[in-house]
Amino acid sequence: MKLEVQSLCKSFGDQAVLRDIQISLEKVHTLALIGPSGGGKSTLLRVIAGLERPDRGRVVLDDEEIIFRERELHEHRKTVGTVFQSFNLFPHLSALSNITLPLEKVHAHSKVEARRIAEEILVRFQLMEHATKQPAQLSGGQRQRIAIARAISIRPKLLLFDEPTSALDPEMTAEVLEVIEELREEGRDFVLVTHQMGFAKRVADQVALLSGGKIVEYGPPAQILDNPQSETGRQFLAKILKY
Amino acid sequence: MAALEKTLRSVRRLFWRSTDELRAPLPIAVVAINWFLAFLLLSLLCVYSFSRIQYTWNWDSVTNYSNMFWNGWFTTVEISAVSLLFSTVIGLIAAMARRSGFLVLRALSRIYVETIRGTPLLVQISFGFYVVGTAFHVENRFLVGVTLLSFFSGAYISEIIRGGIESIGASQLESARAIGLTKFQTYYYVIFPQAIRVILPGLAGMFASLIKDSSLLSIIAIGEFTYNAQQVAGLTYSQFEVYVPMAIGYLVLTLPISLWTQSLERRTKFET
């Protein structure tokens, strides 16, 4: 993907969450957003996902500018797959129906076709035996994998993960990260907000460190994570690596 | 001694169960015995009360006028059925208006709900029929009755529906938005299927009330169940004989609603 963010600003009330974000990346498959809580990572991801309207600035994705008007945003959201930290799935629908719902109702696939696509992905993720279960009957890791399955089923041009493993215990975290890594190997493009530095290092081509609503620095993971240039970067990494 | 203790315990088990055990269905015999006892208790209370006032029943007054009861009962069924439908539609519209981005609609919905809930139905019926009805030359009492009753119940139903909609978490709306559902689709596929569990019990109570509240239409001389029963009572001077079929007539209508919603609740159940 090609991602261009210019002078992006966003405030909630009198609290500025994004202050003049600038990024310019070409031919990047995986962008990891890291940084302290409240630094603006999730908000930036949500702007790219078309879920949040910035106060100012431009986002250009693969040479197409995102128009921040509801009608255009709605179309944009159909072309990306977003996975949140938790509560992605609809509790009244089975795992299978959770995947077929957007395929049928948003992307106009026939019932049969939607089912075929969903089952194909479930088989691939080894979740077929859970197809008829409702989310409450699944583990946290299974739920996130179903959410990822739903996100990729629509063949998005970009996947967006907002701390997909933050609500999971280590074992489940591993099963979810494995799926994400597999998608990475397939060459899918995604942006990932994460606290898992080791994982960021493994999958990301580019890492951006956000703090105080600004991009403190960005570049290849080896540079940002092993040899940060900024004081904020050094402090942040020292803090998380301590424990 | 041990045998006695054992018997005592099994007798006790007929009437008492812990909360944990109550989650599973009880043996039919246990249910039957306890229901029977409850009925027996209430019947005794009735028999005792009537024996104290030494009332002589005169059932002829009821049987002679059975046609009036039947006519009235069918009118009540008609009024209730039509009002039930309309009040749900009105309630749904008012609930959506309350959530609208157009502020005049919000205000209108709020005024509607607060006025209807804050004033007696009796006043609404007289005002609606004698003032509004007359002003617009609506003389069909059935139509006026159904309209008034629908708007009355609609106000309560709109609050029940709104409560149900608002019980759905923001994360659900966010997920729906993220996968690209439209507003309408979000309501249809995500909000309502989940909200229905919260809405149904309240709605059932409201429907039962609506059927009983239709009796107030007797003040504008609509020949429904209560009006006709009162006519019979006036003609035959027999209050109690008239009230018994009246009670049964309304119960026959409200009880199925209550049972129906219970089964619906079970069917729409899912874990969260």
Side-chain angles (χ1 to χ4, degrees):
Chain A
M1 80 179 131
K2 189 177 163 191
L3 179 69
E4 183 96 27
V5 180
Q6 291 169 0
S7 330
L8 199 68
C9 295
K10 172 78 189 172
S11 303
F12 293 111
D14 51 8
Q15 198 184 346
V17 187
L18 298 179
R19 312 168 193 235
D20 201 26
I21 299 275
Q22 312 273 0
I23 308 180
S24 178
L25 291 169
E26 254 180 80
K27 289 190 189 142
V28 54
H29 279 306
T30 307
L31 168 66
L33 304 175
I34 62 164
S37 296
K41 317 179 288 288
S42 284
T43 310
L44 176 58
L45 184 98
R46 290 168 53 81
V47 170
I48 300 171
L51 291 166
E52 208 81 70
R53 253 179 278 192
D55 304 331
R56 224 153 13 92
R58 280 163 33 102
V59 178
V60 185
L61 192 63
D62 293 331
D63 294 319
E64 241 180 277
E65 180 166 359
I66 301 177
I67 314 288
F68 291 102
R69 272 195 309 251
E70 190 44 44
R71 184 191 293 253
E72 280 83 0
L73 283 180
H74 182 241
E75 290 307 312
H76 171 67
R77 287 195 291 262
K78 289 185 192 174
T79 64
V80 297
T82 309
V83 177
F84 304 105
Q85 187 177 334
S86 51
F87 304 117
N88 284 285
L89 303 181
F90 303 121
H92 60 298
L93 298 177
S94 68
L96 186 76
S97 304
N98 261 288
I99 302 174
T100 54
L101 179 71
L103 286 172
E104 277 179 46
K105 306 305 171 191
V106 181
H107 300 275
H109 288 284
S110 73
K111 236 188 169 94
V112 180
E113 182 69 6
R115 210 188 153 93
R116 193 192 59 76
I117 297 171
E119 284 179 350
E120 205 179 288
I121 297 175
L122 286 175
V123 167
R124 214 193 104 190
F125 282 11
Q126 287 159 9
L127 288 165
M128 199 51 207
E129 56 182 309
H130 305 298
T132 56
K133 289 185 188 165
Q134 291 191 331
Q137 298 166 290
L138 300 169
S139 75
Q142 289 165 342
R143 282 201 285 264
Q144 285 305 72
R145 281 155 61 206
I146 300 278
I148 295 172
R150 180 172 72 186
I152 65 167
S153 71
I154 60 154
R155 306 182 164 275
K157 62 179 180 197
L158 178 65
L159 283 164
L160 298 156
F161 296 107
D162 190 0
E163 301 190 25
T165 59
S166 293
L168 303 176
D169 63 34
E171 201 179 331
M172 292 177 185
T173 299
E175 78 183 54
V176 172
L177 294 184
E178 266 161 35
V179 168
I180 298 177
E181 193 169 9
E182 218 183 290
L183 297 174
R184 164 76 179 88
E185 278 155 18
E186 259 173 39
R188 282 178 195 270
D189 289 344
F190 56 87
V191 181
L192 164 83
V193 171
T194 186
H195 290 296
Q196 313 272 341
M197 293 308 139
F199 185 65
K201 204 167 174 176
R202 228 160 82 185
V203 300
D205 317 318
Q206 292 283 324
V207 175
L209 172 71
L210 278 88
S211 178
K214 289 189 170 171
I215 299 235
V216 181
E217 53 186 311
Y218 71 90
Q223 178 194 323
I224 305 296
L225 297 171
D226 298 335
N227 190 16
Q229 301 299 306
S230 64
E231 187 52 37
T232 324
R234 274 193 291 274
Q235 277 175 7
F236 173 69
L237 288 165
K239 210 184 274 175
I240 30 176
L241 293 178
K242 199 167 157 191
Y243 300 105
Chain B
M1 203 59 201
L4 180 70
E5 220 166 77
K6 206 176 158 194
T7 328
L8 273 176
R9 200 161 42 228
S10 55
V11 170
R12 204 185 112 86
R13 300 247 334 131
L14 276 183
F15 304 108
W16 296 95
R17 288 294 155 106
S18 71
T19 346
D20 281 344
E21 289 173 289
L22 284 170
R23 268 183 222 143
L26 291 168
I28 292 175
V30 173
V31 175
I33 286 180
N34 285 286
W35 276 76
F36 173 74
L37 275 181
F39 272 119
L40 190 67
L41 212 68
L42 293 172
S43 315
L44 283 177
L45 187 72
C46 271
V47 170
Y48 175 75
S49 307
F50 277 108
S51 73
R52 290 285 295 198
I53 60 167
Q54 296 184 334
Y55 188 78
T56 354
W57 294 94
N58 174 22
W59 289 107
D60 287 350
S61 56
V62 177
T63 43
N64 288 344
Y65 288 93
S66 66
N67 260 348
M68 277 190 81
F69 281 101
W70 281 113
N71 287 340
W73 189 78
F74 280 119
T75 308
T76 289
V77 172
E78 274 168 34
I79 291 177
S80 304
V82 180
S83 307
L84 216 112
L85 189 71
F86 281 135
S87 60
T88 310
V89 174
I90 292 171
L92 192 60
I93 293 171
M96 298 313 284
R98 186 71 179 275
R99 293 173 61 82
S100 163
F102 183 44
L103 301 181
V104 178
L105 267 185
R106 269 180 184 246
L108 270 178
S109 167
R110 185 80 203 271
I111 293 168
Y112 160 63
V113 169
E114 297 302 338
T115 319
I116 298 284
R117 290 201 310 171
T119 57
L121 177 57
L122 197 69
V123 175
Q124 291 164 23
I125 292 174
S126 341
F127 195 83
F129 182 64
Y130 293 111
V131 181
V132 183
T134 314
F136 289 92
H137 302 290
V138 188
E139 266 143 41
N140 185 335
R141 283 165 198 265
F142 182 84
L143 190 73
V144 176
V146 165
T147 311
L148 287 169
L149 207 57
S150 301
F151 273 98
F152 175 74
S153 287
Y156 288 88
I157 290 176
S158 90
E159 286 294 280
I160 294 169
I161 293 178
R162 191 169 69 92
I165 293 173
E166 282 171 9
S167 72
I168 306 305
S171 59
Q172 288 289 299
L173 307 185
E174 183 85 334
S175 283
R177 220 157 74 91
I179 62 172
L181 294 180
T182 63
K183 221 171 191 174
F184 177 79
Q185 288 176 325
T186 305
Y187 273 102
Y188 194 81
Y189 296 112
V190 177
I191 299 179
F192 283 131
Q194 295 185 61
I196 199 80
R197 296 160 70 220
V198 183
I199 293 172
L200 273 181
L203 205 58
M206 202 52 229
F207 284 167
S209 299
L210 183 146
I211 291 169
K212 289 185 293 169
D213 288 337
S214 70
S215 65
L216 271 173
L217 293 176
S218 57
I219 63 158
I220 53 170
I222 293 178
E224 44 72 61
F225 199 29
T226 302
Y227 182 80
N228 281 12
Q230 279 171 344
Q231 297 279 307
V232 176
L235 289 168
T236 59
Y237 305 106
S238 50
Q239 283 291 340
F240 290 132
E241 289 83 346
V242 164
Y243 281 154
V244 172
M246 234 173 101
I248 295 170
Y250 281 106
L251 203 59
V252 161
L253 295 179
T254 52
L255 212 53
I257 291 185
S258 174
L259 295 175
W260 170 67
T261 34
Q262 270 172 35
S263 85
L264 266 186
E265 266 174 62
R266 267 196 301 275
R267 261 191 291 160
T268 57
K269 207 169 178 178
F270 58 87
E271 283 175 67
T272 44

